[in-house]
Amino acid sequence: MAEEDTTVKEPLDLIRLSLDERVYVKLRGDREIRGKLHAYDQHLNMILGDVEETITTVEIDDETYEEIVKTTKRAVRYLFVRGDAVTLVSPPLRT
Amino acid sequence: MATNPSQLLPSELVDRCVGSRIWVIMKGEKEMVGTLRGFDVYVNMVLEDVIEYEMTPEGKRVTKLDQILLNGNNIALLVPGGMPDEEE
Amino acid sequence: MSEQTADAGAAKTPADFLKSIKGKQVVVKLNSGVDYRGVLACLDGYMNIAMEETEEYVNGQLKNKYGDAFIRGNNVLYISTVKDK
């Protein structure tokens, strides 16, 4: 098969088709990152570039019992994601 | 390999449950009851007419499901015959 | 593949189930309790899942929508069919 295969036959094809695109990755511990997918392997270890990490924490106010949702963002130029921490990967919307 | 002194292999016991109700107790605060339709070497199971019980701090949460493939990874115990007081 | 005894004909193995639900509306529940509802595109032996028109529910509340989503198999608690409404 010489031509570029754009069909999704197995789940990892979805990742293959997202190479060099910005992807959204959800990780264990309520962590989310967005970045450009440079490389991945079968474990879903990934190399992402120009990454924005979002950390969400929920605290309960001691007096009012209201949930206080805090999100912290930080930017990372380049990072390695260990596959076993990944729960979900969503490629950019294709039209 | 050591010889198995028991008359029944664990997987044979599960195989005998195919077609009947089975109670699955997961690692963590979760239990499922359903009719076992089949399973594989990892004891991933196909269950039908499932009731899922989640023990939360707010109480027991019950979900009904038509047919599921349950990942064998998080199963702790299997009880043939189902749950004694299934209908809540 | 496991060799099923006696009632292999009647039994529905995980592999049979997976074949039967491709392209169907499903609910995927993760160990964390998060539910994903959408159309099952495909899956592999690790229970990695590709879904389309995916909706993410946390505690029964819609939190997110994704066009396509890859869900890593090790986090999957179950894959459930959805009764036609």
Side-chain angles (χ1 to χ4, degrees):
Chain A
M1 277 187 276
E3 78 274 21
E4 198 194 348
D5 197 351
T6 56
T7 58
V8 178
K9 290 189 188 108
E10 56 165 28
L12 277 167
D13 290 342
L14 209 59
I15 311 300
R16 180 173 48 83
L17 295 172
S18 307
L19 275 170
D20 293 323
E21 309 249 23
R22 283 189 80 77
V23 291
Y24 167 80
V25 183
K26 234 174 129 72
L27 301 160
R28 291 191 179 176
D30 284 326
R31 283 168 189 272
E32 300 162 88
I33 52 180
R34 274 170 229 275
K36 188 177 172 184
L37 180 65
H38 288 285
Y40 73 97
D41 65 16
Q42 70 274 30
H43 307 291
L44 223 61
N45 294 324
M46 290 183 282
I47 306 283
L48 297 178
D50 293 320
V51 183
E52 182 188 70
E53 181 190 21
T54 310
I55 305 158
T56 307
T57 53
V58 179
E59 286 168 29
I60 309 284
D61 190 290
D62 291 336
E63 280 152 30
T64 64
Y65 297 104
E66 275 178 292
E67 286 189 352
I68 306 159
V69 181
K70 281 184 187 167
T71 60
T72 322
K73 285 184 201 261
R74 60 184 175 189
V76 185
R77 263 300 294 284
Y78 217 53
L79 61 73
F80 173 92
V81 181
R82 201 176 141 89
D84 58 4
V86 174
T87 61
L88 175 138
V89 182
S90 185
L93 284 172
R94 256 187 292 277
T95 44
Chain B
M1 264 319 164
T3 52
N4 190 337
S6 75
Q7 293 298 303
L8 195 63
L9 290 165
S11 62
E12 287 174 29
L13 181 69
V14 183
D15 197 56
R16 288 184 185 194
C17 296
V18 172
S20 42
R21 298 297 277 177
I22 192 164
W23 178 15
V24 185
I25 302 172
M26 314 293 293
K27 301 175 195 168
E29 302 298 290
K30 208 168 281 186
E31 300 182 6
M32 330 271 282
V33 190
T35 304
L36 183 64
R37 285 297 166 217
F39 66 98
D40 65 15
V41 285
Y42 307 106
V43 202
N44 297 318
M45 300 194 292
V46 178
L47 297 172
E48 223 169 68
D49 303 321
V50 182
I51 310 174
E52 176 188 355
Y53 301 90
E54 265 174 293
M55 324 310 169
T56 67
E58 296 84 47
K60 205 191 260 182
R61 189 189 297 164
V62 181
T63 315
K64 295 201 174 177
L65 304 155
D66 190 24
Q67 196 175 54
I68 69 168
L69 171 62
L70 183 67
N71 193 336
N73 224 330
N74 295 291
I75 294 172
L77 302 165
L78 296 173
V79 186
M83 209 182 229
D85 52 345
E86 190 180 311
E87 297 308 324
E88 298 280 318
Chain C
M1 268 289 110
S2 68
E3 296 299 326
Q4 297 270 308
T5 49
D7 48 9
K12 191 172 194 180
T13 63
D16 297 332
F17 176 80
L18 295 175
K19 258 180 250 163
S20 73
I21 59 166
K22 264 187 203 164
K24 298 251 171 73
Q25 185 76 24
V26 294
V27 179
V28 176
K29 188 169 197 134
L30 305 189
N31 294 317
S32 62
V34 180
D35 282 347
Y36 292 95
R37 290 166 177 270
V39 177
L40 186 101
C42 59
L43 34 72
D44 64 20
Y46 301 103
M47 270 198 222
N48 291 326
I49 298 166
M51 277 173 99
E52 293 163 356
E53 300 159 38
T54 311
E55 295 177 333
E56 179 181 84
Y57 289 85
V58 182
N59 293 321
Q61 285 179 304
L62 181 61
K63 281 282 154 75
N64 252 318
K65 287 188 183 183
Y66 309 102
D68 286 317
F70 174 102
I71 297 167
R72 201 171 187 272
N74 64 320
N75 301 301
V76 174
L77 172 67
Y78 64 68
I79 306 169
S80 172
T81 56
V82 179
K83 272 198 184 133
D84 294 321
K85 277 158 239 163

